Amino acid sequence: MYLRERGRATGFSFMVYFCIMNGHRERIEVDMSEKRLNNTIFLMYLVTQNYCREHNISTEDFLKLDEKYAILNYVAECPDIFDSLTGSEMVREVEQYVAQP
């Protein structure tokens, strides 16, 4: 996982570029402490790994799903939902999110 931050020095406002394997990029603006930001990035990683393991798919296939459904954006916008979940519960949460019309 690779993280690069760029932005203005105003509080804890960051422009964050998440790259998970193979140069996948998703730009997300966040306003949070550095500790919370790091936790959110780690949750994004865990969701990716758990989903791939449970569905027996590659990271590349997960990233295709992410492009279609913005799964990692959902994790970044709602980290508190994922923070206390087990790996299987994270996968179920993502499945429910993807199933929404």
Side-chain angles (χ1 to χ4, degrees):
M1 183 181 283
Y2 168 75
L3 166 71
R4 183 177 83 203
E5 56 185 63
R6 188 189 323 176
R8 297 179 220 99
T10 56
F12 289 108
S13 183
F14 297 100
M15 291 284 244
V16 180
Y17 293 88
F18 296 99
C19 297
I20 298 180
M21 311 286 234
N22 296 327
H24 172 72
R25 289 191 171 177
E26 193 64 43
R27 189 183 82 150
I28 302 170
E29 283 195 52
V30 292
D31 186 22
M32 57 181 70
S33 70
E34 186 172 345
K35 182 177 180 180
R36 185 166 169 90
L37 175 62
N38 289 336
N39 186 54
T40 300
I41 293 166
F42 183 64
L43 288 170
M44 294 169 75
Y45 170 77
L46 288 178
V47 166
T48 302
Q49 295 302 308
N50 289 324
Y51 194 92
C52 289
R53 187 178 311 116
E54 184 132 345
H55 289 278
N56 198 27
I57 63 172
S58 67
T59 304
E60 293 80 16
D61 289 338
F62 176 82
L63 295 177
K64 289 176 187 172
L65 284 173
D66 180 55
E67 286 178 18
K68 184 174 182 180
Y69 297 106
I71 297 166
L72 295 178
N73 281 344
Y74 174 56
V75 176
E77 290 172 1
C78 308
D80 293 335
I81 291 174
F82 292 90
D83 200 28
S84 61
L85 299 179
T86 65
S88 295
E89 291 170 333
M90 287 180 181
V91 172
R92 299 298 160 255
E93 181 66 31
V94 169
E95 289 171 342
Q96 289 176 356
Y97 172 74
V98 169
Q100 293 176 356

